[in-house]
Amino acid sequence: MDSSEIARYIEHTDGISKPWLLIQWRLQKLKERQTEMPPDIYLQELTGLHQALMDLGEWWVGREDEVF
C-alpha cells in the first residue's frame, strides 16, 4: 500500500482516532520520501516515529480482536 491508499483506508474506517494507523501512514510517507532526504534527516525522522510508536505503550491489550 502506498500512503494515499493507507489514507483512504483510515478515512473509510474512521481510523483517525487510531494512533497506530496514523503512525503506519506516517512511516509509509517517510519511506516514499527517503530517496529525497539526507540520510541523517531520514534517520532522525525514523527515530521520531519509533518513539511515537513506543509512546503508545501496549495499546492493543484488551483490543486484540479489533486490531489483529
Side-chain angles (χ1 to χ4, degrees), residues 41-68:
I41 299 298
Y42 174 78
L43 184 58
Q44 184 178 24
E45 291 199 24
L46 185 60
T47 301
L49 283 174
H50 177 261
Q51 187 59 53
L53 181 61
M54 293 297 102
D55 289 344
L56 292 178
E58 293 184 352
W59 53 268
W60 66 88
V61 174
R63 305 175 77 174
E64 292 87 353
D65 290 340
E66 176 189 350
V67 297
F68 295 115

PDB file of all heavy atoms in Angstrom, residues 41-68:
ATOM      1  N   ILE A  41      18.740  13.110   8.214  1.00  0.00           N
ATOM      2  CA  ILE A  41      17.384  13.614   8.435  1.00  0.00           C
ATOM      3  C   ILE A  41      16.389  12.449   8.415  1.00  0.00           C
ATOM      4  O   ILE A  41      15.474  12.382   9.237  1.00  0.00           O
ATOM      5  CB  ILE A  41      17.002  14.672   7.376  1.00  0.00           C
ATOM      6  CG1 ILE A  41      17.957  15.870   7.453  1.00  0.00           C
ATOM      7  CG2 ILE A  41      15.556  15.103   7.538  1.00  0.00           C
ATOM      8  CD1 ILE A  41      17.930  16.626   8.767  1.00  0.00           C
ATOM      9  N   TYR A  42      16.580  11.515   7.484  1.00  0.00           N
ATOM     10  CA  TYR A  42      15.723  10.333   7.430  1.00  0.00           C
ATOM     11  C   TYR A  42      15.799   9.563   8.741  1.00  0.00           C
ATOM     12  O   TYR A  42      14.774   9.195   9.312  1.00  0.00           O
ATOM     13  CB  TYR A  42      16.128   9.425   6.260  1.00  0.00           C
ATOM     14  CG  TYR A  42      15.382   8.125   6.243  1.00  0.00           C
ATOM     15  CD1 TYR A  42      14.075   8.060   5.772  1.00  0.00           C
ATOM     16  CD2 TYR A  42      15.968   6.956   6.715  1.00  0.00           C
ATOM     17  CE1 TYR A  42      13.375   6.866   5.764  1.00  0.00           C
ATOM     18  CE2 TYR A  42      15.279   5.748   6.708  1.00  0.00           C
ATOM     19  CZ  TYR A  42      13.981   5.720   6.233  1.00  0.00           C
ATOM     20  OH  TYR A  42      13.277   4.541   6.246  1.00  0.00           O
ATOM     21  N   LEU A  43      17.003   9.338   9.217  1.00  0.00           N
ATOM     22  CA  LEU A  43      17.181   8.604  10.469  1.00  0.00           C
ATOM     23  C   LEU A  43      16.551   9.351  11.641  1.00  0.00           C
ATOM     24  O   LEU A  43      15.922   8.747  12.516  1.00  0.00           O
ATOM     25  CB  LEU A  43      18.661   8.344  10.733  1.00  0.00           C
ATOM     26  CG  LEU A  43      18.992   7.504  11.959  1.00  0.00           C
ATOM     27  CD1 LEU A  43      18.318   6.135  11.882  1.00  0.00           C
ATOM     28  CD2 LEU A  43      20.489   7.356  12.096  1.00  0.00           C
ATOM     29  N   GLN A  44      16.677  10.649  11.654  1.00  0.00           N
ATOM     30  CA  GLN A  44      16.088  11.467  12.711  1.00  0.00           C
ATOM     31  C   GLN A  44      14.556  11.319  12.695  1.00  0.00           C
ATOM     32  O   GLN A  44      13.935  11.143  13.747  1.00  0.00           O
ATOM     33  CB  GLN A  44      16.499  12.921  12.515  1.00  0.00           C
ATOM     34  CG  GLN A  44      16.041  13.858  13.591  1.00  0.00           C
ATOM     35  CD  GLN A  44      16.534  15.272  13.318  1.00  0.00           C
ATOM     36  OE1 GLN A  44      16.815  15.663  12.174  1.00  0.00           O
ATOM     37  NE2 GLN A  44      16.655  16.059  14.371  1.00  0.00           N
ATOM     38  N   GLU A  45      13.953  11.393  11.528  1.00  0.00           N
ATOM     39  CA  GLU A  45      12.500  11.261  11.436  1.00  0.00           C
ATOM     40  C   GLU A  45      12.050   9.842  11.761  1.00  0.00           C
ATOM     41  O   GLU A  45      11.026   9.644  12.413  1.00  0.00           O
ATOM     42  CB  GLU A  45      12.019  11.697  10.054  1.00  0.00           C
ATOM     43  CG  GLU A  45      12.187  13.189   9.862  1.00  0.00           C
ATOM     44  CD  GLU A  45      11.338  13.740   8.741  1.00  0.00           C
ATOM     45  OE1 GLU A  45      10.306  13.124   8.388  1.00  0.00           O
ATOM     46  OE2 GLU A  45      11.719  14.793   8.217  1.00  0.00           O
ATOM     47  N   LEU A  46      12.816   8.847  11.326  1.00  0.00           N
ATOM     48  CA  LEU A  46      12.502   7.458  11.647  1.00  0.00           C
ATOM     49  C   LEU A  46      12.576   7.224  13.160  1.00  0.00           C
ATOM     50  O   LEU A  46      11.716   6.554  13.738  1.00  0.00           O
ATOM     51  CB  LEU A  46      13.449   6.525  10.905  1.00  0.00           C
ATOM     52  CG  LEU A  46      13.182   5.034  11.048  1.00  0.00           C
ATOM     53  CD1 LEU A  46      11.799   4.670  10.525  1.00  0.00           C
ATOM     54  CD2 LEU A  46      14.261   4.244  10.320  1.00  0.00           C
ATOM     55  N   THR A  47      13.574   7.797  13.789  1.00  0.00           N
ATOM     56  CA  THR A  47      13.710   7.695  15.241  1.00  0.00           C
ATOM     57  C   THR A  47      12.514   8.342  15.933  1.00  0.00           C
ATOM     58  O   THR A  47      11.996   7.802  16.915  1.00  0.00           O
ATOM     59  CB  THR A  47      15.027   8.353  15.695  1.00  0.00           C
ATOM     60  OG1 THR A  47      16.115   7.692  15.047  1.00  0.00           O
ATOM     61  CG2 THR A  47      15.206   8.269  17.199  1.00  0.00           C
ATOM     62  N   GLY A  48      12.053   9.461  15.422  1.00  0.00           N
ATOM     63  CA  GLY A  48      10.874  10.117  15.984  1.00  0.00           C
ATOM     64  C   GLY A  48       9.627   9.259  15.860  1.00  0.00           C
ATOM     65  O   GLY A  48       8.815   9.183  16.796  1.00  0.00           O
ATOM     66  N   LEU A  49       9.461   8.588  14.720  1.00  0.00           N
ATOM     67  CA  LEU A  49       8.313   7.696  14.543  1.00  0.00           C
ATOM     68  C   LEU A  49       8.394   6.494  15.475  1.00  0.00           C
ATOM     69  O   LEU A  49       7.386   6.066  16.036  1.00  0.00           O
ATOM     70  CB  LEU A  49       8.227   7.224  13.096  1.00  0.00           C
ATOM     71  CG  LEU A  49       7.671   8.226  12.108  1.00  0.00           C
ATOM     72  CD1 LEU A  49       7.785   7.688  10.687  1.00  0.00           C
ATOM     73  CD2 LEU A  49       6.224   8.536  12.432  1.00  0.00           C
ATOM     74  N   HIS A  50       9.595   5.978  15.653  1.00  0.00           N
ATOM     75  CA  HIS A  50       9.778   4.855  16.576  1.00  0.00           C
ATOM     76  C   HIS A  50       9.389   5.278  17.990  1.00  0.00           C
ATOM     77  O   HIS A  50       8.689   4.546  18.695  1.00  0.00           O
ATOM     78  CB  HIS A  50      11.228   4.372  16.541  1.00  0.00           C
ATOM     79  CG  HIS A  50      11.494   3.284  17.517  1.00  0.00           C
ATOM     80  ND1 HIS A  50      12.084   3.513  18.734  1.00  0.00           N
ATOM     81  CD2 HIS A  50      11.229   1.956  17.463  1.00  0.00           C
ATOM     82  CE1 HIS A  50      12.180   2.377  19.388  1.00  0.00           C
ATOM     83  NE2 HIS A  50      11.669   1.412  18.641  1.00  0.00           N
ATOM     84  N   GLN A  51       9.813   6.471  18.388  1.00  0.00           N
ATOM     85  CA  GLN A  51       9.468   6.947  19.728  1.00  0.00           C
ATOM     86  C   GLN A  51       7.966   7.145  19.863  1.00  0.00           C
ATOM     87  O   GLN A  51       7.380   6.808  20.896  1.00  0.00           O
ATOM     88  CB  GLN A  51      10.213   8.245  20.052  1.00  0.00           C
ATOM     89  CG  GLN A  51      10.024   8.693  21.482  1.00  0.00           C
ATOM     90  CD  GLN A  51      10.488   7.653  22.484  1.00  0.00           C
ATOM     91  OE1 GLN A  51      11.625   7.189  22.411  1.00  0.00           O
ATOM     92  NE2 GLN A  51       9.631   7.263  23.401  1.00  0.00           N
ATOM     93  N   ALA A  52       7.324   7.663  18.838  1.00  0.00           N
ATOM     94  CA  ALA A  52       5.866   7.844  18.877  1.00  0.00           C
ATOM     95  C   ALA A  52       5.167   6.500  19.041  1.00  0.00           C
ATOM     96  O   ALA A  52       4.196   6.380  19.805  1.00  0.00           O
ATOM     97  CB  ALA A  52       5.387   8.543  17.612  1.00  0.00           C
ATOM     98  N   LEU A  53       5.665   5.487  18.357  1.00  0.00           N
ATOM     99  CA  LEU A  53       5.090   4.147  18.487  1.00  0.00           C
ATOM    100  C   LEU A  53       5.309   3.602  19.893  1.00  0.00           C
ATOM    101  O   LEU A  53       4.393   3.050  20.508  1.00  0.00           O
ATOM    102  CB  LEU A  53       5.706   3.211  17.447  1.00  0.00           C
ATOM    103  CG  LEU A  53       5.179   1.783  17.440  1.00  0.00           C
ATOM    104  CD1 LEU A  53       3.690   1.758  17.134  1.00  0.00           C
ATOM    105  CD2 LEU A  53       5.954   0.956  16.436  1.00  0.00           C
ATOM    106  N   MET A  54       6.497   3.772  20.434  1.00  0.00           N
ATOM    107  CA  MET A  54       6.788   3.283  21.781  1.00  0.00           C
ATOM    108  C   MET A  54       5.953   4.026  22.821  1.00  0.00           C
ATOM    109  O   MET A  54       5.541   3.449  23.831  1.00  0.00           O
ATOM    110  CB  MET A  54       8.281   3.436  22.109  1.00  0.00           C
ATOM    111  CG  MET A  54       9.191   2.555  21.280  1.00  0.00           C
ATOM    112  SD  MET A  54       8.904   0.787  21.528  1.00  0.00           S
ATOM    113  CE  MET A  54       7.963   0.356  20.081  1.00  0.00           C
ATOM    114  N   ASP A  55       5.668   5.301  22.569  1.00  0.00           N
ATOM    115  CA  ASP A  55       4.856   6.087  23.495  1.00  0.00           C
ATOM    116  C   ASP A  55       3.419   5.579  23.579  1.00  0.00           C
ATOM    117  O   ASP A  55       2.724   5.862  24.559  1.00  0.00           O
ATOM    118  CB  ASP A  55       4.859   7.567  23.102  1.00  0.00           C
ATOM    119  CG  ASP A  55       6.194   8.240  23.354  1.00  0.00           C
ATOM    120  OD1 ASP A  55       7.032   7.666  24.095  1.00  0.00           O
ATOM    121  OD2 ASP A  55       6.416   9.338  22.797  1.00  0.00           O
ATOM    122  N   LEU A  56       2.991   4.845  22.558  1.00  0.00           N
ATOM    123  CA  LEU A  56       1.635   4.282  22.605  1.00  0.00           C
ATOM    124  C   LEU A  56       1.524   3.187  23.661  1.00  0.00           C
ATOM    125  O   LEU A  56       0.426   2.892  24.130  1.00  0.00           O
ATOM    126  CB  LEU A  56       1.240   3.709  21.247  1.00  0.00           C
ATOM    127  CG  LEU A  56       1.038   4.702  20.119  1.00  0.00           C
ATOM    128  CD1 LEU A  56       0.698   3.957  18.837  1.00  0.00           C
ATOM    129  CD2 LEU A  56      -0.053   5.700  20.452  1.00  0.00           C
ATOM    130  N   GLY A  57       2.641   2.586  24.020  1.00  0.00           N
ATOM    131  CA  GLY A  57       2.619   1.511  25.007  1.00  0.00           C
ATOM    132  C   GLY A  57       1.922   0.280  24.454  1.00  0.00           C
ATOM    133  O   GLY A  57       1.900   0.035  23.260  1.00  0.00           O
ATOM    134  N   GLU A  58       1.336  -0.483  25.326  1.00  0.00           N
ATOM    135  CA  GLU A  58       0.640  -1.711  24.918  1.00  0.00           C
ATOM    136  C   GLU A  58      -0.814  -1.381  24.579  1.00  0.00           C
ATOM    137  O   GLU A  58      -1.751  -1.836  25.219  1.00  0.00           O
ATOM    138  CB  GLU A  58       0.750  -2.756  26.028  1.00  0.00           C
ATOM    139  CG  GLU A  58       2.162  -3.233  26.235  1.00  0.00           C
ATOM    140  CD  GLU A  58       2.283  -4.335  27.266  1.00  0.00           C
ATOM    141  OE1 GLU A  58       1.301  -4.653  27.959  1.00  0.00           O
ATOM    142  OE2 GLU A  58       3.389  -4.884  27.369  1.00  0.00           O
ATOM    143  N   TRP A  59      -0.984  -0.612  23.518  1.00  0.00           N
ATOM    144  CA  TRP A  59      -2.296  -0.111  23.113  1.00  0.00           C
ATOM    145  C   TRP A  59      -3.254  -1.232  22.705  1.00  0.00           C
ATOM    146  O   TRP A  59      -4.453  -1.060  22.711  1.00  0.00           O
ATOM    147  CB  TRP A  59      -2.147   0.884  21.967  1.00  0.00           C
ATOM    148  CG  TRP A  59      -1.359   0.332  20.824  1.00  0.00           C
ATOM    149  CD1 TRP A  59      -0.021   0.445  20.631  1.00  0.00           C
ATOM    150  CD2 TRP A  59      -1.852  -0.454  19.735  1.00  0.00           C
ATOM    151  NE1 TRP A  59       0.354  -0.213  19.492  1.00  0.00           N
ATOM    152  CE2 TRP A  59      -0.742  -0.776  18.914  1.00  0.00           C
ATOM    153  CE3 TRP A  59      -3.104  -0.911  19.367  1.00  0.00           C
ATOM    154  CZ2 TRP A  59      -0.865  -1.528  17.760  1.00  0.00           C
ATOM    155  CZ3 TRP A  59      -3.222  -1.666  18.213  1.00  0.00           C
ATOM    156  CH2 TRP A  59      -2.110  -1.959  17.424  1.00  0.00           C
ATOM    157  N   TRP A  60      -2.714  -2.371  22.349  1.00  0.00           N
ATOM    158  CA  TRP A  60      -3.546  -3.465  21.851  1.00  0.00           C
ATOM    159  C   TRP A  60      -4.166  -4.308  22.962  1.00  0.00           C
ATOM    160  O   TRP A  60      -5.106  -5.045  22.705  1.00  0.00           O
ATOM    161  CB  TRP A  60      -2.727  -4.380  20.949  1.00  0.00           C
ATOM    162  CG  TRP A  60      -1.645  -5.092  21.703  1.00  0.00           C
ATOM    163  CD1 TRP A  60      -1.765  -6.289  22.362  1.00  0.00           C
ATOM    164  CD2 TRP A  60      -0.323  -4.651  21.925  1.00  0.00           C
ATOM    165  NE1 TRP A  60      -0.577  -6.618  22.972  1.00  0.00           N
ATOM    166  CE2 TRP A  60       0.324  -5.612  22.719  1.00  0.00           C
ATOM    167  CE3 TRP A  60       0.389  -3.524  21.534  1.00  0.00           C
ATOM    168  CZ2 TRP A  60       1.647  -5.488  23.117  1.00  0.00           C
ATOM    169  CZ3 TRP A  60       1.706  -3.411  21.930  1.00  0.00           C
ATOM    170  CH2 TRP A  60       2.313  -4.381  22.701  1.00  0.00           C
ATOM    171  N   VAL A  61      -3.660  -4.205  24.187  1.00  0.00           N
ATOM    172  CA  VAL A  61      -4.148  -5.029  25.281  1.00  0.00           C
ATOM    173  C   VAL A  61      -5.644  -4.769  25.493  1.00  0.00           C
ATOM    174  O   VAL A  61      -6.077  -3.631  25.661  1.00  0.00           O
ATOM    175  CB  VAL A  61      -3.351  -4.758  26.582  1.00  0.00           C
ATOM    176  CG1 VAL A  61      -3.955  -5.521  27.761  1.00  0.00           C
ATOM    177  CG2 VAL A  61      -1.900  -5.135  26.389  1.00  0.00           C
ATOM    178  N   GLY A  62      -6.405  -5.835  25.415  1.00  0.00           N
ATOM    179  CA  GLY A  62      -7.850  -5.733  25.547  1.00  0.00           C
ATOM    180  C   GLY A  62      -8.566  -5.422  24.252  1.00  0.00           C
ATOM    181  O   GLY A  62      -9.782  -5.371  24.192  1.00  0.00           O
ATOM    182  N   ARG A  63      -7.796  -5.183  23.170  1.00  0.00           N
ATOM    183  CA  ARG A  63      -8.376  -4.838  21.867  1.00  0.00           C
ATOM    184  C   ARG A  63      -7.890  -5.802  20.787  1.00  0.00           C
ATOM    185  O   ARG A  63      -7.976  -5.487  19.609  1.00  0.00           O
ATOM    186  CB  ARG A  63      -7.977  -3.430  21.479  1.00  0.00           C
ATOM    187  CG  ARG A  63      -8.337  -2.388  22.507  1.00  0.00           C
ATOM    188  CD  ARG A  63      -7.820  -1.054  22.128  1.00  0.00           C
ATOM    189  NE  ARG A  63      -8.685  -0.513  21.093  1.00  0.00           N
ATOM    190  CZ  ARG A  63      -8.567   0.713  20.627  1.00  0.00           C
ATOM    191  NH1 ARG A  63      -7.637   1.507  21.052  1.00  0.00           N
ATOM    192  NH2 ARG A  63      -9.391   1.137  19.685  1.00  0.00           N
ATOM    193  N   GLU A  64      -7.387  -6.938  21.184  1.00  0.00           N
ATOM    194  CA  GLU A  64      -6.768  -7.862  20.236  1.00  0.00           C
ATOM    195  C   GLU A  64      -7.694  -8.222  19.079  1.00  0.00           C
ATOM    196  O   GLU A  64      -7.267  -8.265  17.927  1.00  0.00           O
ATOM    197  CB  GLU A  64      -6.319  -9.143  20.953  1.00  0.00           C
ATOM    198  CG  GLU A  64      -5.166  -8.950  21.920  1.00  0.00           C
ATOM    199  CD  GLU A  64      -5.597  -8.530  23.325  1.00  0.00           C
ATOM    200  OE1 GLU A  64      -6.793  -8.260  23.555  1.00  0.00           O
ATOM    201  OE2 GLU A  64      -4.715  -8.473  24.190  1.00  0.00           O
ATOM    202  N   ASP A  65      -8.966  -8.491  19.367  1.00  0.00           N
ATOM    203  CA  ASP A  65      -9.902  -8.869  18.308  1.00  0.00           C
ATOM    204  C   ASP A  65     -10.118  -7.725  17.307  1.00  0.00           C
ATOM    205  O   ASP A  65     -10.357  -7.963  16.139  1.00  0.00           O
ATOM    206  CB  ASP A  65     -11.249  -9.292  18.904  1.00  0.00           C
ATOM    207  CG  ASP A  65     -11.165 -10.615  19.627  1.00  0.00           C
ATOM    208  OD1 ASP A  65     -10.213 -11.386  19.364  1.00  0.00           O
ATOM    209  OD2 ASP A  65     -12.041 -10.888  20.460  1.00  0.00           O
ATOM    210  N   GLU A  66     -10.033  -6.516  17.797  1.00  0.00           N
ATOM    211  CA  GLU A  66     -10.258  -5.353  16.924  1.00  0.00           C
ATOM    212  C   GLU A  66      -9.070  -5.052  16.018  1.00  0.00           C
ATOM    213  O   GLU A  66      -9.253  -4.665  14.868  1.00  0.00           O
ATOM    214  CB  GLU A  66     -10.537  -4.117  17.800  1.00  0.00           C
ATOM    215  CG  GLU A  66     -10.682  -2.833  17.026  1.00  0.00           C
ATOM    216  CD  GLU A  66     -10.744  -1.609  17.907  1.00  0.00           C
ATOM    217  OE1 GLU A  66     -10.858  -1.746  19.141  1.00  0.00           O
ATOM    218  OE2 GLU A  66     -10.674  -0.504  17.351  1.00  0.00           O
ATOM    219  N   VAL A  67      -7.867  -5.251  16.523  1.00  0.00           N
ATOM    220  CA  VAL A  67      -6.692  -4.771  15.790  1.00  0.00           C
ATOM    221  C   VAL A  67      -5.846  -5.856  15.136  1.00  0.00           C
ATOM    222  O   VAL A  67      -5.000  -5.545  14.300  1.00  0.00           O
ATOM    223  CB  VAL A  67      -5.794  -3.881  16.691  1.00  0.00           C
ATOM    224  CG1 VAL A  67      -6.536  -2.653  17.125  1.00  0.00           C
ATOM    225  CG2 VAL A  67      -5.277  -4.653  17.877  1.00  0.00           C
ATOM    226  N   PHE A  68      -6.055  -7.118  15.501  1.00  0.00           N
ATOM    227  CA  PHE A  68      -5.252  -8.191  14.888  1.00  0.00           C
ATOM    228  C   PHE A  68      -6.108  -9.122  14.095  1.00  0.00           C
ATOM    229  O   PHE A  68      -7.210  -9.357  14.251  1.00  0.00           O
ATOM    230  CB  PHE A  68      -4.471  -8.979  15.936  1.00  0.00           C
ATOM    231  CG  PHE A  68      -3.432  -8.149  16.642  1.00  0.00           C
ATOM    232  CD1 PHE A  68      -3.548  -7.880  17.990  1.00  0.00           C
ATOM    233  CD2 PHE A  68      -2.349  -7.644  15.950  1.00  0.00           C
ATOM    234  CE1 PHE A  68      -2.576  -7.127  18.653  1.00  0.00           C
ATOM    235  CE2 PHE A  68      -1.379  -6.884  16.614  1.00  0.00           C
ATOM    236  CZ  PHE A  68      -1.512  -6.636  17.965  1.00  0.00           C
TER     237      PHE A  68
END
